[in-house]
Amino acid sequence: MPSSSSIAVRELPLFPLPEVVLFPSRPLPLHIFEFRYRIMMNTILESDRRFGVVMWDPVKGQPASVGSCAEILQYQRLPDDRMKMLTLGQQRFRVLEYVREKPYLVGLVEWIEDRPPERDLRPLAAEVDRLLRDVVHLSAKLMDQKIELPEDVPTLPTELSYWVASNLAGVAAEQQTLLEMQDTAARLEREAEILSSTRSHLAARTALKDALDD
């Protein structure tokens, strides 16, 4: 009788991307031009349209061991066999081993999920949402621009934690850490720390700008 975890194991073509961390339910547009990945995408389009996105770690010189499955929603063939496509993040996985490397990387993966929460996470999610809105408000004030959050920012704790993590700019290593967490509360708490620190930084810059503008 196989264990419950082995049932969730499958082979998945892997697409390593530098500085890109894909989260569940988040969109990822791609431009496919490298020969091996054109082969990969053509193969995937004939099957279930799914592949794994893993961040390429330039320090270790290898892909991260945790990534997200991506599903191809739309694609467009361009001249010379290049492709533009829109993909959507699905469930996360951990790479158990690499099955082959040519013509592209294929891994044996197991699906991973957050553990069931031990407490009501809605107050924590509401705090993260409030910090997020403060950061957007201060950014808009500092840049003298109208910046608004999209209307579809999730309210459910896990989905909100993925949304916030995916919108952190220029901190791929931090995003990778958040992706690998299997505790929604821990992910939200780390995001609250990041947003709170950003808010303090922006508030100080806004106060300085106001003083100089007077």
Side-chain angles (χ1 to χ4, degrees), residues 42 45 49 72-77 83-86:
N42 281 316
L45 285 166
R49 294 190 169 210
I72 301 169
L73 299 183
Q74 300 168 356
Y75 69 98
Q76 176 190 5
R77 293 188 187 278
M83 290 183 207
K84 279 190 173 179
M85 51 180 55
L86 177 63

Side-chain angles (χ1 to χ4, degrees), residues 12 26 32 43 64 105 110 132 194:
L12 196 64
R26 304 304 304 147
I32 309 298
T43 306
L105 201 57
E110 64 174 353
L132 178 66
I194 294 168

Side-chain angles (χ1 to χ4, degrees), residues 1-15:
M1 181 74 184
S3 70
S4 59
S5 63
S6 66
I7 296 170
V9 169
R10 66 164 279 184
E11 284 188 13
L12 196 64
L14 299 175
F15 191 21

